[in-house]
Amino acid sequence: MVKMSDVAKIANVSTATVSRVLRSPETVKENTRKKVLSVIEELNYQPNILARHFRRNETNTVLVIVPNIMNTVFSEIVGGIEQAASISGYKVLLRNTNRDVRNEYEAIDHLKQRQVDGMILLSERLEKQTILNISQQYPVVLASAYIEGLKVPTVSIDNISSSREATEHLIKLGHKRIAHICGSLFSLISRDRVKGFNQAIYQNEIQMESVLIQEGDFTFDSGYNQMLKFLALDVPPTAVFAANDEMAMGAIKAAKENGLRVPEDLAVVGFDNIKFSSIFEPALTTIAQPKYEMGKKAMELLLEQMKGVVHTKSQYVLDSKLIIRESCGAKMAELV
Amino acid sequence: MVKMSDVAKIANVSTATVSRVLRSPETVKENTRKKVLSVIEELNYQPNILARHFRRNETNTVLVIVPNIMNTVFSEIVGGIEQAASISGYKVLLRNTNRDVRNEYEAIDHLKQRQVDGMILLSERLEKQTILNISQQYPVVLASAYIEGLKVPTVSIDNISSSREATEHLIKLGHKRIAHICGSLFSLISRDRVKGFNQAIYQNEIQMESVLIQEGDFTFDSGYNQMLKFLALDVPPTAVFAANDEMAMGAIKAAKENGLRVPEDLAVVGFDNIKFSSIFEPALTTIAQPKYEMGKKAMELLLEQMKGVVHTKSQYVLDSKLIIRESCGAKMAELV
DNA sequence: ATGAAAGCGCTAACAG
DNA sequence: CTGTTAGCGCTTTCAT
């Protein structure tokens, strides 16, 4: 392995000069720089980055903790993170936790051991106090996930308002009996989406029964199963708002299998605007989250933090948008 | 930052002993070990992993180069890689290339600079010679992607045979005019899938015209567009084999929009068995690739290579399987 | 079983 | 603008 001192020797300069050529070329006289560069070329020298990391005590690497990379919502966010990172010369260390909190604690050790310069957390299993502690010592950004009352930079959408908007859309279409399939209530995101749903219901004085809110777990199957429960009611709902697109699709499948037409007999709205929501039949009406941009923004905030910028603002709320397609029946309604 | 020498001082031992307690505890007398461990606990000591990496010239990190992490086929493979890696105490550095070969060359520098101990390549844009060179110097495994006649450890399925099987399935169902929407022919995977398709066609003496093979690019839209071309033929095909599920779905959409029923008027088979293929209506008949297992196996091979195991075998072919659902009409056929 | 000490390759403070 | 030099914190060889 050819090293810096080899280059220095052959170029007749000191290692300091070689180092300067590499890290701040403008401080070296052009002649010297050219000479050094040509020797670097000639010897095919590659700097030992591990030595640099060690010496500088930084790695140009960020840790991204994801509950499940196979979920398209997360993989899009990660796509945005990676893009922003690589533009700035940063690398992404990916850790998939499978929602196991032990894996998250393990991952945090990477920060403590300085293997990474910062961290983006797409999950919220860790205790509030732990996250707070960590974020006071190291650059940390939360994306998509967020934690109530925590002054840690967070990039997300306004889950409450978007859910309210989705629900109000169903109300405007004339529905009087609207159900909600929420995600695991362990997660604040789910609780917020329930909150937005409830706000719309109460503000519009729509009838409500607790049986009209059922808890799923963001999977297709859970949407299917919770919908079956609604269909078994004496008076089933005429509209359902599901906390994500997969559950909305599951709910539609259950409805169809029970002879209901969507949207004619049952209106459905989802959440996330995953790629397949427009391919699905009927195409899903849903709340579009800017997943890629969320990742990008989170990485940009992290970069600033790592540069030492202190943010007074800690919540960055990106725009979400109701995408009206077929599953809610709005287009049919317009025709009337 | 508390360091090893601090621990050593307080525990009244040398740094060598502390290091041994950390890396090969069995070589240290139990008493000493306990004492050191308690001091480590007490001081909340975290070893500086950068120093370790530097000193040992290894990082316990592998580089994963992905064309597009937002594509579920790749994110599942990455899921398998991450799982196998973290079990063995390895970390995953993720690089998304967006299919830009410059990004791949950049990524390779990470290997040369020893920032990672090995690499898994899910893409095949690099020149054969480059990959060969790299793989002779560093541990490298190809997954999913593969390159003809290259003796680099590769984990994949048999794309030729699976495509032949998919096509033969359509032939067995009685189809005499079968079209194929292939992926970008730049990729060997696409060319192999065409090859398998052709084998089935010729072996069964089915009529063939070159217009019955159209090139898409693995996207839903390209499937849609190529299907429109088929529909415009004087004698359109009665069956289509698409080189991935997304294009199969696009093709079905085009067919439906033109008044055809699937599978009654047009049978369709896809490839990959992505999650959504069973949700789609009609549920897609497709070739199931063991994506997660592919990633896992690739990582396991890489781990062995990094340990110095030399593999005589270089091609690891995993089982793929034809999953018969609704879009091909086989179930209807059985009823007759 | 433990300690002493060299040194991995680079960076940066300081001097000139 | 360039050189000298002192480490960064750990691992490992060689002694004991």
Side-chain angles (χ1 to χ4, degrees), chain A residues 34 86 159 176 284:
Chain A
K34 278 188 177 160
S86 72
N159 283 283
K176 306 275 183 224
L284 275 189

Side-chain angles (χ1 to χ4, degrees), chain A residues 3-4 19 45 48 52 55-56:
Chain A
K3 52 189 144 177
M4 195 177 269
S19 178
Y45 165 70
N48 180 327
R52 176 184 294 172
R55 177 57 226 250
R56 296 184 44 98

Side-chain angles (χ1 to χ4, degrees), chain B residues 3-4 19 45 48 52 55:
Chain B
K3 52 189 145 178
M4 195 177 268
S19 178
Y45 165 70
N48 180 327
R52 177 184 293 174
R55 177 59 226 255

